[in-house]
Each structure stands twice: as C-alpha cells, then as structure tokens.
Amino acid sequence: MERHFCPVTIKNDRNHEIPVIISIPHSGLYVPDEVKNKLNEGIKLPNMDWYLPAFYAFLEELGYTVVINRVSRYVIDVNRGENERCGSYQTNLVYTTTTQGEEMYRIPLTAKETEERIKNYYAPYHNALIGAIREKLKRYTRIYLLDLHSFGLDCEADIILGNDFGKTCSNGIISFLKDKFGENGFLPVENIPFSGAYITKNYCRQFPCCETVQIELSYRAYIQNRVFESGEENPVIEQEYFKNQQKKMAAVYSSFREYLR
C-alpha cells in the first residue's frame, strides 16, 4: 500500500444531528501498483459506481455521515462476505474476471495477496462503518444505513430500493423514499433486480436497531440520458444534466432529513 494512502474517507463523523449513515462502497478508483502489474494488458474495469461521491457531494452539507471507499472494487469488493475469497464478482471478495467475464490476471493470485487486501482495504471500510454505527447508537435508539450504488442495466427504473423484500428495513421508510423519489422526477421500484447485498444484510443482522436500504441509481438518471455500452469505462458526464439531477436528488435527501427529525 502506498505511503499515506487512506482507503476510506469519512464525512461528518462527529456530526450526529441525523440518525443516518451513508455508505458508498463501489466508487473507488484506486488500484495499487502490485495489482496493476498482474493485470492483463489492455484490460478494462467496467461497471463501477461512477462519480457517486461527486454526485452526492451535497450530503455533507446536509449533515449526513458519509463513509466512502476509495479502493476499486476490482482490488477487493467490500460489499461481499469474507467466506468467498476469489472468483466471480457476484459472490467473491476478489474478482478473477471482470463483470463482463474478461480474465483479469496474467499472473495467478496467491492466498497471501488476498489476505493482504483484506487487511489493507476491506477491514478499514468495515471498521469505519461499525464505528459510525456504534457512535450513532449512543445517541439514537434506531438508526438507518443507506448503501448507495449505481447501475448501467437498460431497465425501466431510475431508482431501485433494496431491502431484501422487507427484511432489512420497514415499509414506512421504503414508502417515504419511493414517494419522494417519485415527486422529484425519478422512477423508483423495489428489490428487482437488486434486493441488497452483504452490507445491507450483514449490518441489519449485526445491529437489530439499524435499518438498512440499498439504493441503486441508473447511469441514465445522472450521467447521461442514454443507453450505456457493455464494458464502458469512465463514461462522459453531460454536465448540465448531472447538475440538474443532483439538485433533484438533494431535495430527496433534504426531505428525508426532515422526516427523521
């Protein structure tokens, strides 16, 4: 790991005016040299949650506690459990193929390398989440963890709210969010095709007073209003559209803040 590199950024870690923690686990771009040096030449690393920290920059001003992963999901996926080590991006900590099925490595990975990635990049993110949850629970009897993602699938929805079909969050919170997204020009649906993954399911179980929701935002609803190509990297932002959609999204989270007060 590079000297002085911090894998996690936390905003408003001491601000507890809102009983909410925001998690952004898949927008990191950092790939250490020891990983780059093993990748196949010309490999593309698509299907990232592009630009979410920039899009959701307003959350800090609204007073939300925000935990941002700066490490690429292609180094290690913090939204997976530790039991499955290397293999498919759908279930494993460390991918051996991209989300488009391309073989990533020209040199096989070792078990030691995986352990180092867990220690250096995976553990810090979860330690930050656990610390934030515990701090909130010192002040509130019920708190909320929103896990923010984006997706490039060509489907009808702008927003997919995942609560594991009612298991990780109350219907009241989901209904409120659906209404507010709809009022602000987004088309929300529940749980299909994304019902939530490790972060939402794990922390709901680990902390029964923490309700969790995975919120997926379509690329089309904030980067550009178009169909995105398979395997696309670093899509070009349509700046005016991005800013307009950002304002609408800020209105949703402003309403949610007031709802919880």
Side-chain angles (χ1 to χ4, degrees):
M1 183 165 61
E2 294 177 13
R3 291 183 64 188
H4 310 303
F5 173 75
C6 182
V8 183
T9 296
I10 308 176
K11 307 286 188 180
N12 287 328
D13 58 324
R14 297 183 181 179
N15 186 340
H16 300 293
E17 60 182 296
I18 310 171
V20 178
I21 298 148
I22 304 288
S23 163
I24 305 180
H26 280 165
S27 290
L29 298 177
Y30 175 73
V31 179
D33 288 341
E34 62 267 25
V35 177
K36 289 179 184 176
N37 292 338
K38 285 196 166 190
L39 293 174
N40 283 319
E41 187 175 353
I43 191 77
K44 289 187 176 182
L45 305 178
N47 197 27
M48 303 279 285
D49 290 352
W50 303 113
Y51 317 124
L52 287 193
F55 183 74
Y56 286 110
F58 59 82
L59 291 170
E60 182 179 6
E61 184 177 344
L62 289 175
Y64 285 94
T65 299
V66 186
V67 182
I68 303 169
N69 180 27
R70 297 177 59 199
V71 180
S72 171
R73 67 188 297 184
Y74 284 100
V75 176
I76 194 163
D77 192 333
V78 297
N79 199 24
R80 303 289 183 265
E82 287 192 52
N83 291 334
E84 299 293 332
R85 295 300 171 100
C86 289
S88 166
Y89 81 92
Q90 295 179 318
T91 57
N92 293 79
L93 283 173
V94 176
Y95 311 162
T96 55
T97 63
T98 71
T99 59
Q100 302 298 317
E102 298 287 333
E103 291 290 335
M104 289 175 56
Y105 293 101
R106 59 185 178 81
I107 302 172
L109 300 180
T110 66
K112 182 179 178 182
E113 286 176 297
T114 298
E115 292 300 328
E116 285 293 309
R117 294 188 197 187
I118 291 171
K119 182 179 100 173
N120 291 332
Y121 308 122
Y122 183 89
Y125 194 74
H126 287 281
N127 289 342
L129 285 180
I130 291 168
I133 289 169
R134 286 176 174 163
E135 286 300 314
K136 295 291 184 191
L137 286 174
K138 290 178 183 178
R139 297 161 175 84
Y140 299 96
T141 57
R142 182 157 298 277
I143 65 171
Y144 305 89
L145 172 62
L146 307 184
D147 195 41
L148 305 187
H149 297 260
S150 61
F151 67 96
L153 292 177
D154 183 19
C155 65
E156 296 297 323
D158 296 321
I159 300 283
I160 300 167
L161 299 170
N163 69 339
D164 198 19
F165 298 92
K167 296 176 185 175
T168 70
C169 184
S170 66
N171 289 331
I173 291 294
I174 293 295
S175 294
F176 178 85
L177 290 171
K178 279 187 73 174
D179 288 346
K180 290 304 170 184
F181 281 122
E183 288 173 12
N184 286 282
F186 298 99
L187 177 61
V189 300
E190 294 180 46
N191 289 305
I192 296 174
F194 306 113
S195 63
Y198 178 75
I199 287 173
T200 51
K201 293 174 184 178
N202 175 66
Y203 288 109
C204 179
R205 288 192 299 262
Q206 189 172 343
F207 298 94
C209 293
C210 179
E211 296 190 35
T212 63
V213 187
Q214 181 171 296
I215 301 179
E216 294 269 1
L217 172 64
S218 170
Y219 291 171
R220 297 178 67 171
Y222 75 108
I223 297 174
Q224 286 190 29
N225 186 15
R226 64 175 176 85
V227 176
F228 287 75
E229 296 176 10
S230 176
E232 188 170 354
E233 284 188 302
N234 301 301
V236 176
I237 296 172
E238 187 180 311
Q239 292 291 340
E240 185 175 355
Y241 183 67
F242 186 90
K243 290 175 183 177
N244 287 338
Q245 296 299 92
Q246 187 180 48
K247 289 178 183 177
K248 295 176 183 178
M249 187 65 75
V252 174
Y253 282 84
S254 181
S255 296
F256 189 53
R257 179 185 65 175
E258 298 308 313
Y259 173 76
L260 295 175
R261 283 182 166 177

